[in-house]
Amino acid sequence: MVAMTLSVKDPLRFDDLNAERAYDGMKAYFQSKAANLYFTLELAERWKGKVGAFAVDPGMVKTTLVAEAPLPLRIVFSILSVSPEKGAAVPLGALVSPEYDGKTGLLIGKKGPVPFPPGPDDADLRQKPWDESARLVKL
């Protein structure tokens, strides 16, 4: 759920991006989703008019992500999630739909564009994942 990715109580931890000091699978997952949103907005701003940059939220997709989660969560997930093929419809739609021609910086869900959760409009927070990505790939 994208709305859960950004929280004032649990901001992105740039001092431990790989969760090497304190690993929690769900927190790591939500950190990665938050970084995705910030990075997408920065990419959209930097490449405006050249490419479309979109974050997508296909909902719950059957993957091995919850393989080690507690049994009740695995059961709920197996009931509510969709196949990878159905999950792929959202990013593919963002890629090929004429609805998004000339647009950028959107979060696209199963029913189309949805509001970003609070937070990613912070220019400093958008810049940090971009800079850290560049550092990690030695640009």
Side-chain angles (χ1 to χ4, degrees):
M1 212 176 207
V2 172
M4 295 174 61
T5 61
L6 302 175
S7 166
V8 174
K9 293 180 182 178
D10 194 21
L12 285 172
R13 296 194 51 191
F14 290 99
D15 63 330
D16 191 22
L17 276 179
N18 292 322
E20 294 167 313
R21 289 190 303 234
Y23 182 79
D24 175 295
M26 291 306 290
K27 284 185 179 181
Y29 173 79
F30 290 126
Q31 289 276 308
S32 73
K33 298 299 115 186
N36 263 342
L37 295 178
Y38 290 129
F39 189 92
T40 298
L41 289 173
E42 184 65 18
L43 177 63
E45 184 63 32
R46 287 174 180 244
W47 288 70
K48 191 180 281 184
K50 298 175 186 164
V51 298
F54 305 105
V56 295
D57 179 10
M60 292 175 35
V61 178
K62 286 183 177 145
T63 67
T64 58
L65 182 66
V66 294
E68 296 180 27
L71 181 60
L73 179 60
R74 291 195 317 258
I75 291 169
V76 169
F77 195 84
S78 71
I79 294 168
L80 298 177
S81 59
V82 299
S83 71
E85 292 79 12
K86 284 188 179 181
V90 177
L92 286 173
L95 180 65
V96 301
S97 175
E99 173 185 358
Y100 303 118
D101 285 351
K103 296 181 180 171
T104 192
L106 298 175
L107 171 56
I108 302 171
K110 290 184 276 187
K111 296 181 180 179
V114 296
F116 274 91
D121 57 342
D122 183 317
D124 289 335
L125 286 176
R126 291 193 322 252
Q127 181 74 35
K128 285 181 181 179
W130 183 276
D131 290 344
E132 187 61 15
S133 295
R135 185 187 72 75
L136 289 168
V137 298
K138 299 178 181 8
L139 286 180

